[in-house]
Amino acid sequence: MALQFDANGLIPAIVQDHYSGQVLMLAYMNAESLAISIAEKRTCFWSRSRGKLWRKGEESGNVQHIVSIKADCDEDALLVQVIKEGAACHTGAESCFFNPVYLDDAVQQFTYQGLYDLLLGRKNQPQEGSYTSYLFDKGLDKILKKVGEEATEVIIAAKAEDKAETIYEVADLCYHVMVLLVHYGITLDEVTAELSRRHIIDHKVKQERMQ
């Protein structure tokens, strides 16, 4: 493969979260920073403003561990999937892409991260009349009570073999569990990493049993 670098020897690199698929940032690589990224398995870019190599996280600690690097059909852009430690943006935001230019109100895609961010906003900036803000105001005991109640509702609906009601109650449970996560400051990435760790362990155990 012959990558197509521009006249300045650069190629755009779109960085994407491996777990969520969220686009985190757009940066540029040259041949040297790409080679370093591959060798160190963490993102290294060429800073156009500073005119030097820039290892992501060297100052902030927000390192990006590379899972894969793919080129587009014209081989003049890269898609870099990473497992991140901390925020991608220098502002502290999870992604650099947070300034809306256009948004079709009729098409709103649900994401767990979007819900998490909404809950976090209700915690940090309480709104009068908001049920979520009410839960955070009442504290841990109230949140745990609701998690317990919703878990019971899931069991009752499932035992009754009522699919629609089970879906409804599972959604309620997911919401209240995410409120609990926000209360404790546990991120979705941390939960995903734990599930991934278990998946890897389970995969290794299966391989050992087959030997």
Side-chain angles (χ1 to χ4, degrees), residues 26-47:
L26 170 65
Y28 291 83
M29 292 182 175
N30 59 13
E32 183 180 6
S33 67
L34 176 58
I36 292 173
S37 296
I38 294 173
E40 297 183 357
K41 298 182 180 179
R42 53 181 285 188
T43 52
C44 177
F45 306 107
W46 177 260
S47 172

Side-chain angles (χ1 to χ4, degrees), residues 1-120:
M1 179 184 297
L3 294 176
Q4 305 300 310
F5 295 88
D6 66 16
N8 297 313
L10 301 177
I11 188 170
I14 302 166
V15 182
Q16 180 184 38
D17 187 285
H18 172 67
Y19 294 124
S20 69
Q22 182 181 31
V23 175
L24 301 175
M25 57 186 290
L26 170 65
Y28 291 83
M29 292 182 175
N30 59 13
E32 183 180 6
S33 67
L34 176 58
I36 292 173
S37 296
I38 294 173
E40 297 183 357
K41 298 182 180 179
R42 53 181 285 188
T43 52
C44 177
F45 306 107
W46 177 260
S47 172
R48 294 177 299 168
S49 60
R50 291 178 286 183
K52 65 177 184 178
L53 292 172
W54 161 47
R55 286 174 169 82
K56 176 65 176 172
E58 61 187 357
E59 296 178 359
S60 66
N62 298 334
V63 177
Q64 296 171 341
H65 302 280
I66 297 174
V67 175
S68 67
I69 301 177
K70 299 177 182 178
D72 71 345
C73 55
D74 294 321
E75 299 180 350
D76 60 0
L78 300 176
L79 177 63
V80 185
Q81 285 201 335
V82 302
I83 297 174
K84 63 184 180 66
E85 294 182 18
C89 184
H90 72 281
T91 65
E94 291 297 311
S95 167
C96 292
F97 296 93
F98 56 81
N99 292 310
V101 176
Y102 170 76
L103 186 63
D104 187 344
D105 292 333
V107 184
Q108 292 290 329
Q109 182 179 6
F110 172 84
T111 64
Y112 284 103
Q113 186 61 54
L115 175 57
Y116 185 96
D117 293 341
L118 175 63
L119 298 178
L120 185 61

Side-chain angles (χ1 to χ4, degrees), residues 197-208 210:
R197 183 187 67 82
R198 296 183 188 185
H199 172 73
I200 292 172
I201 292 174
D202 184 57
H203 179 67
K204 288 182 178 179
V205 169
K206 288 181 179 179
Q207 285 187 320
E208 291 172 355
M210 292 175 62

Side-chain angles (χ1 to χ4, degrees), residues 57-199:
E58 61 187 357
E59 296 178 359
S60 66
N62 298 334
V63 177
Q64 296 171 341
H65 302 280
I66 297 174
V67 175
S68 67
I69 301 177
K70 299 177 182 178
D72 71 345
C73 55
D74 294 321
E75 299 180 350
D76 60 0
L78 300 176
L79 177 63
V80 185
Q81 285 201 335
V82 302
I83 297 174
K84 63 184 180 66
E85 294 182 18
C89 184
H90 72 281
T91 65
E94 291 297 311
S95 167
C96 292
F97 296 93
F98 56 81
N99 292 310
V101 176
Y102 170 76
L103 186 63
D104 187 344
D105 292 333
V107 184
Q108 292 290 329
Q109 182 179 6
F110 172 84
T111 64
Y112 284 103
Q113 186 61 54
L115 175 57
Y116 185 96
D117 293 341
L118 175 63
L119 298 178
L120 185 61
R122 292 291 189 270
K123 179 177 186 290
N124 295 333
Q125 297 178 319
Q127 292 190 8
E128 186 176 354
S130 165
Y131 173 67
T132 304
S133 295
Y134 162 78
L135 288 176
F136 286 124
D137 179 62
K138 290 300 181 181
L140 179 60
D141 287 346
K142 181 64 175 180
I143 295 171
L144 291 177
K145 182 174 182 291
K146 291 302 299 182
V147 170
E149 289 176 356
E150 297 304 336
T152 300
E153 293 295 334
V154 169
I155 294 171
I156 293 172
K159 184 64 175 177
E161 299 185 357
D162 188 331
K163 180 178 179 180
E165 186 65 17
T166 301
I167 293 172
Y168 183 88
E169 296 300 344
V170 166
D172 272 353
L173 178 59
C174 288
Y175 161 80
H176 286 92
V177 167
M178 288 186 67
V179 170
L180 180 62
L181 294 180
V182 172
H183 173 82
Y184 273 121
I186 300 172
T187 68
L188 294 179
D189 284 344
E190 290 176 300
V191 177
T192 302
E194 174 62 20
L195 290 171
S196 178
R197 183 187 67 82
R198 296 183 188 185
H199 172 73

